[in-house]
């Protein structure tokens, strides 16, 4: 199965980086009205000519692809997905189909995608590309958000959208395939305009273009979130949406550390590390991945709170790796936590999210051996006809989210 690596990976990095990283959620001295900093052009209805001027300022002195990939690898992430082109229409690679790109419109000129691709290869990370296929605010016929309608920003005539599709979208996807991506992450949501412009024919056109260039490249369901083609490879949930059940296909949730994907200088709503670890456990217990976002600054640096959280998650994952990677969802229900199972089904990993006392009752289960995964300390077992009762060592509760590995028999 070409999706196997994705299912086994469980944890990836999303990176939102582009011209919007420069204003960072602040326009004319004020915090913009939308939580997403990458939406600043829409939030402020910035005239296109003015937005384009940001390109002249795009010169991220701290951009260091190797460091970015190293942060991801050290956090325990197995893949990295970067915004090759977000809704603003600006391309992070030297695109032939549009001169609104890093090489032609900015002083920086370097091929950000190429550098990241190489850095990921060195770190053993899979490499994915986000591409905004429906919204494109450059003014070449892509759609806009209903929230930005004014004299300049209008929904394009279908014939204009077709031109954008033929002259920018499809050629750029062709260009992206040269980077040999492991996945392409398209973006729509439940907006009727996305259904109007991204018809099932358009979905299939994109999918066959990708398939004709690559046997391995995975495609996500937000190519058309409301009614994705059966030919997509994995399901992407709404942003920050952690579902209560799994899916028939591999799936993931993309989420933010604060409330914005793009770097936002005035967003201080950083979730604590334990919340992020719980999100990872929640999805893993249901068979899904967590694609956690970082928004580097306009200078190309990872924000300190992001680095701190990546390091802390990496430390937890390093100590508990078997309970997350290559695991399978587990429907084993116990009080106060969530379980995953090893691929062979012989080991259950019990993530203790709430302290419910010093014993843990595992209904209808006979346990052979139980250990605290991080330390190897044994938990005493009492098997009864109704199930197994574990005595959790007191020291386990000092480990943050402790994981008990139970060999079943
Ligand atoms: O790239 C990130 C977001 O920019 C993109 N998907 C993720 C991965 C995304 N944009 N919008 N949405 C997802 C959902 C739509 C939200 C909207 Fe709004 C509500 C658009 C207009 C109203 C949020 C709030 C954006 C502007 C105001």
């Amino acid at each position: 199965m070409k999706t196997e690596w994705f299912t086994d990976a469980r944890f990836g990095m999303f990176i939102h980086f582009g011209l919007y990283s420069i204003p960072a959620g602040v326009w004319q001295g004020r915090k913009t009205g939308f939580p997403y900093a990458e939406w600043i052009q829409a939030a402020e209805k910035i005239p296109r000519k003015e937005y384009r001027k940001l390109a002249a300022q795009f010169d991220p002195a701290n951009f260091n692809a190797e460091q970015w990939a190293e942060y991801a690898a050290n956090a325990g992430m197995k893949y990295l997905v970067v915004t090759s082109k977000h809704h603003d229409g600006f391309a992070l690679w030297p695109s032939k189909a549009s001169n609104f790109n890093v090489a032609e419109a900015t002083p920086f000129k370097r091929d950000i995608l190429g550098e990241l691709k190489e850095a990921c290869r060195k770190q053993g990370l899979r490499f994915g590309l986000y591409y905004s296929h429906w919204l494109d605010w450059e003014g070449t016929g892509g759609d806009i958000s209903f929230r930005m309608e004014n004299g300049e920003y209008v929904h394009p005539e279908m014939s204009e959208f077709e031109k954008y599709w033929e002259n920018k979208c499809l050629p750029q996807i062709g260009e992206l395939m040269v980077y040999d991506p492991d996945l392409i992450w398209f973006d729509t949501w439940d907006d009727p305009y996305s259904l109007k412009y991204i018809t099932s024919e358009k979905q299939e056109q994109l999918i066959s273009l990708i398939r004709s260039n690559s046997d391995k490249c995975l495609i996500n369901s937000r190519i058309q979130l409301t009614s994705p083609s059966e030919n997509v490879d994995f399901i992407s949930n709404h942003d920050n949406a952690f579902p209560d059940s799994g899916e028939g296909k591999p799936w993931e949730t993309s989420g933010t550390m604060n409330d914005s994907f793009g770097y936002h200088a005035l967003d201080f709503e950083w979730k604590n590390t334990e919340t992020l670890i719980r999100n990872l456990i929640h999805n893993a217990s249901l068979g899904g991945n967590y694609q956690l976002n970082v928004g580097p600054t306009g200078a190309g640096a990872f924000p300190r709170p992001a680095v701190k959280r990546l390091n802390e998650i990496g430390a937890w994952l390093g100590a508990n790796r078997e309970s997350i990677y290559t695991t399978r969802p587990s429907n084993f229900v116990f009080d106060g936590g969530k379980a995953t199972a090893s691929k062979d089904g012989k080991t259950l990993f019990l993530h203790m999210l709430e302290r419910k006392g010093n014993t843990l009752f595992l209904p209808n289960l006979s346990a052979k051996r139980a250990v605290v995964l991080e330390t190897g300390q044994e938990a005493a077992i009492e098997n009864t006809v109704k199930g197994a009762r574990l005595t959790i060592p007191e020291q386990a509760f000092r480990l943050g989210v402790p994981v008990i590995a139970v060999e079943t028999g």
Side-chain angles (χ1 to χ4, degrees):
M1 281 290 273
K2 68 179 174 183
T3 54
E4 192 175 355
W5 71 265
F6 180 84
T7 301
D8 286 348
R10 285 288 175 262
F11 194 32
M13 179 177 280
F14 214 169
I15 296 184
H16 277 64
F17 188 51
L19 300 183
Y20 45 79
S21 310
I22 300 169
V26 183
W27 197 248
Q28 294 173 343
R30 283 190 304 274
K31 188 173 174 178
T32 74
F34 291 178
Y36 290 172
E38 69 277 16
W39 272 71
I40 197 163
Q41 185 180 355
E44 302 301 320
K45 301 184 181 177
I46 301 170
R48 288 194 169 106
K49 231 176 116 187
E50 193 136 335
Y51 189 81
R52 250 187 123 97
K53 287 185 190 157
L54 290 169
Q57 293 175 46
F58 188 82
D59 199 8
N62 297 327
F63 171 72
N64 182 336
E66 300 215 347
Q67 192 185 40
W68 288 13
E70 198 176 308
Y71 280 135
N74 289 343
M77 292 158 159
K78 302 294 187 190
Y79 58 105
L80 184 155
V81 179
V82 63
T83 48
S84 68
K85 183 200 88 172
H86 205 267
H87 306 332
D88 62 3
F90 174 75
L92 286 186
W93 79 99
S95 174
K96 292 189 184 65
S98 159
N99 64 12
F100 193 33
N101 72 60
V102 66
E104 287 173 87
T106 82
F108 192 60
K109 302 209 182 301
R110 281 154 59 185
D111 178 6
I112 291 178
L113 298 191
E115 292 188 29
L116 276 171
K117 154 90 193 170
E118 178 59 16
C120 285
R121 195 190 56 73
K122 284 191 191 157
Q123 290 289 345
L125 298 168
R126 301 272 179 160
F127 182 61
L129 297 169
Y130 168 106
Y131 186 86
S132 177
H133 61 314
W134 158 48
L135 295 187
D136 187 306
W137 305 332
E138 186 199 346
T140 48
D143 196 20
I144 59 154
S145 165
F146 70 97
R147 295 277 286 268
M148 68 199 294
E149 283 170 277
N150 67 8
E152 183 180 17
Y153 294 105
V154 290
H155 292 286
E157 296 291 334
M158 209 37 108
S159 60
E160 291 175 80
F161 189 79
E162 292 289 349
K163 275 191 209 150
Y164 152 77
W165 193 258
E166 293 298 326
N167 298 331
K168 186 171 181 185
C169 182
L170 294 177
Q172 286 198 327
I173 294 296
E175 293 176 14
L176 291 180
M177 295 315 292
V178 175
Y179 293 93
D180 196 25
D182 293 296
L183 68 85
I184 296 214
W185 208 103
F186 290 112
D187 200 3
T188 62
W189 49 93
D190 43 7
D191 177 321
Y193 281 105
S194 86
L195 280 169
K196 174 176 170 190
Y197 291 99
I198 307 300
T199 57
S200 53
E201 291 73 35
K202 290 226 164 23
Q203 286 192 63
E204 297 309 329
Q205 218 179 346
L206 282 177
I207 294 170
S208 58
L209 173 59
I210 294 165
R211 303 283 188 237
S212 69
N213 279 281
S214 171
D215 293 330
K216 68 170 184 185
C217 184
L218 307 183
I219 300 171
N220 75 332
S221 63
R222 279 178 70 167
I223 193 168
Q224 180 46 266
L225 186 140
T226 315
S227 56
S229 160
E230 281 176 17
N231 299 322
V232 302
D233 300 296
F234 68 93
I235 308 291
S236 287
N237 283 290
H238 278 109
D239 307 349
N240 287 302
F242 298 94
D244 293 327
S245 59
E247 299 270 0
K249 288 190 188 215
W251 61 274
E252 56 100 15
T253 298
S254 290
T256 49
M257 291 195 195
N258 52 10
D259 289 336
S260 177
F261 284 92
Y263 173 63
H264 196 312
L266 298 179
D267 177 348
F268 305 110
E269 298 300 322
W270 298 94
K271 296 160 186 121
N272 64 28
T273 301
E274 192 171 312
T275 300
L276 303 173
I277 291 173
R278 282 164 180 261
N279 290 343
L280 177 66
I281 293 167
H282 176 89
N283 273 17
S285 75
L286 298 170
N289 289 10
Y290 190 22
Q291 187 167 302
L292 181 59
N293 182 74
V294 174
T297 68
F302 275 29
R304 281 186 198 183
V307 172
K308 179 183 174 198
R309 283 156 183 75
L310 292 172
N311 286 336
E312 289 174 345
I313 298 168
W316 182 86
L317 260 172
N320 296 287
R321 59 195 83 169
E322 297 89 345
S323 83
I324 299 293
Y325 304 123
T326 73
T327 56
R328 294 294 168 258
S330 170
N331 52 12
F332 183 75
V333 176
F334 67 101
D335 203 15
K338 285 174 182 155
T340 57
S342 62
K343 224 177 211 175
D344 64 12
K346 290 185 180 158
T347 308
L348 272 182
F349 298 103
L350 309 177
H351 302 83
M352 301 186 63
L353 301 173
E354 279 170 69
R355 184 169 187 173
K356 292 273 186 176
N358 293 348
T359 61
L360 191 58
F361 186 67
L362 312 177
N364 305 315
L365 199 112
S366 157
K368 271 194 201 149
R369 188 161 183 266
V371 296
V372 180
L373 187 55
E374 176 177 331
T375 60
Q377 189 176 14
E378 296 243 7
I381 300 168
E382 187 197 339
N383 285 312
T384 73
V385 282
K386 289 190 176 156
R389 184 176 306 281
L390 307 184
T391 303
I392 308 301
E394 183 59 30
Q395 295 90 335
F397 294 102
R398 293 183 217 139
L399 302 176
V401 179
V403 183
I404 312 297
V406 182
E407 280 176 42
T408 56

